[in-house]
Amino acid sequence: MDPLVNEIVLLLRTRKTASGWTPTELAAALGISRARVHRGLDELRALGYELTAGRNESLRITRSPDRMIDTEILAGLKTRIMARQLHCYNRIGSTNARALELAEARAPEGTIVVAEEQTSGRGRLGRVWHSPPGLGIWASFILRPQLPLQKAAAVSLLAALAFAQTVEDDLGLKVDLKWPNDGLIAGRKVFGVLTEVSAEVDRVYYVICGTGINVAHRLEDFPPALRQTAGSLAHACGRPLDRLAFFRSFLTHFEAVYRRFRRDGLTPFLADYRDRSLLLGREVTIHYGQKSIQGQAVAIDDHGALILRTTTGDITVVAGEATLREQ
């Protein structure tokens, strides 16, 4: 969006009197012509903003669009890292792919790529993440933590934990975390993470943390193959939700855990993660490549790896697909 249009929205939202702003006042405050103001107002209406005119042409925003656009994401957001830059798309192939391009071009930490729809949304192990328009939050974060490569996997766990905290604080629902990257509510997957890392052994250049949050889906909105396993926040709550308000809250929670992680590592978060873990203490199978290994999930170490107790001893598993075994 044109940065000037963002400024118009901010002014319309911060008016201290009920009457709103006149185009003349907006032009004076922004140092532009009335004609330019009117073009900006037309753009706002095209985006779905409803503007109500009062006396003397004064304008107020009376309805905002439910769209992943910068004016709405930033409204009232007080983060210092997350959303330092926003790249918002109506339709894109993959937010992770675009974030990788921006990271290579030295985009700052906290840059977010967000889209209304992904046509080639990427999940783990080459899967496609179902990303229809208007129903979810499809966002990729560029992070630049100063840490060695073996600790980068912890970012997935932090994102999942931030999601769980947001759901619990805002909606009062219990979230189960399935190592390494899934968030489930009542047995249905609502949240997923895909991290991609550029690093040397002793240094991470950047981490792309791609997140998918199913917000407004009905079960019939999922492809038939997913209807038994996928869920959404609205389905879990039994009522519609404000996507943008939830996203802003998630950004706030994610920033809080990430800033502490940069200072103190993963260790302070392990107890909270264990409390929500779907796997710990249970028999699981870990699939990686063409192989699999079975055992009891007994711990998560301070690098975010899963400790699996097998018949031949404990094994540290840094990546893979986990499934619960029948007892």
Side-chain angles (χ1 to χ4, degrees), residues 89-280:
Y89 296 89
N90 190 50
R91 195 167 187 255
I92 198 172
S94 162
T95 58
N96 257 37
R98 179 60 180 140
L100 283 165
E101 294 172 351
L102 291 167
E104 288 293 327
R106 301 183 182 277
E109 180 169 61
T111 295
I112 303 174
V113 179
V114 62
E116 277 294 314
E117 177 186 10
Q118 292 184 108
T119 57
S120 304
R122 290 152 57 178
R124 294 183 68 250
L125 306 177
R127 298 190 182 108
V128 173
W129 185 275
H130 180 61
S131 314
L135 297 181
I137 299 168
W138 327 123
S140 295
F141 300 75
I142 298 174
L143 304 175
R144 298 185 183 276
Q146 301 298 307
L147 45 75
L149 176 58
Q150 67 266 29
K151 295 187 177 182
V155 171
S156 286
L157 277 67
L158 292 173
L161 184 59
F163 168 75
Q165 291 173 346
T166 307
V167 171
E168 291 161 7
D169 289 350
D170 292 11
L171 308 179
L173 298 174
K174 182 178 184 297
V175 176
D176 294 313
L177 299 179
K178 179 172 170 282
W179 181 92
N181 69 332
D182 293 345
L184 293 84
I185 301 175
R188 291 182 175 272
K189 182 174 176 177
V190 177
F191 174 84
V193 185
L194 173 65
T195 55
E196 301 180 76
V197 182
S198 174
E200 296 178 358
V201 173
D202 61 345
R203 179 186 177 190
V204 169
Y205 296 112
Y206 60 78
V207 177
I208 305 300
C209 181
T211 58
I213 305 174
N214 298 335
V215 178
H217 301 65
R218 303 163 300 172
L219 294 188
E220 56 265 34
D221 292 322
F222 293 105
L226 298 178
R227 288 176 189 167
Q228 298 302 312
T229 57
S232 72
L233 297 176
H235 178 261
C237 288
R239 60 180 173 83
L241 294 176
D242 184 332
R243 281 191 307 156
L244 288 148
F246 186 86
F247 188 38
R248 289 190 291 268
S249 184
F250 173 66
L251 293 177
T252 301
H253 282 83
F254 194 9
E255 173 157 311
V257 298
Y258 179 68
R259 290 180 68 183
R260 187 175 182 191
F261 167 72
R262 291 196 310 182
R263 185 182 69 243
D264 301 328
L266 186 61
T267 302
F269 303 101
L270 289 177
D272 282 346
Y273 191 93
R274 292 185 192 110
D275 287 344
R276 298 170 176 84
S277 175
L278 189 66
L279 302 185
L280 292 181

Side-chain angles (χ1 to χ4, degrees), residues 4-148:
L4 183 60
V5 176
N6 267 329
E7 293 185 53
I8 292 174
V9 171
L10 290 173
L11 287 174
L12 289 172
R13 281 184 167 145
T14 56
R15 185 65 168 179
K16 289 184 170 56
T17 66
S19 61
W21 290 77
T22 68
T24 299
E25 289 172 328
L26 290 171
L30 296 170
I32 58 176
S33 68
R34 277 176 54 96
R36 181 68 187 88
V37 167
H38 281 291
R39 288 197 298 272
L41 295 172
D42 288 342
E43 184 174 338
L44 286 179
R45 292 185 180 97
L47 288 168
Y49 286 89
E50 185 177 280
L51 304 177
T52 299
R55 292 186 305 170
N56 302 321
E57 296 186 298
S58 61
L59 295 168
R60 293 181 296 112
I61 295 175
T62 51
R63 188 178 68 180
S64 300
D66 176 25
R67 295 183 59 182
M68 288 290 156
I69 51 180
D70 42 10
T71 50
E72 292 307 300
I73 294 169
L74 295 172
L77 186 68
K78 301 187 184 302
T79 54
R80 296 173 59 187
I81 299 173
M82 303 301 178
R84 185 172 294 173
Q85 285 188 10
L86 273 171
H87 296 259
C88 302
Y89 296 89
N90 190 50
R91 195 167 187 255
I92 198 172
S94 162
T95 58
N96 257 37
R98 179 60 180 140
L100 283 165
E101 294 172 351
L102 291 167
E104 288 293 327
R106 301 183 182 277
E109 180 169 61
T111 295
I112 303 174
V113 179
V114 62
E116 277 294 314
E117 177 186 10
Q118 292 184 108
T119 57
S120 304
R122 290 152 57 178
R124 294 183 68 250
L125 306 177
R127 298 190 182 108
V128 173
W129 185 275
H130 180 61
S131 314
L135 297 181
I137 299 168
W138 327 123
S140 295
F141 300 75
I142 298 174
L143 304 175
R144 298 185 183 276
Q146 301 298 307
L147 45 75

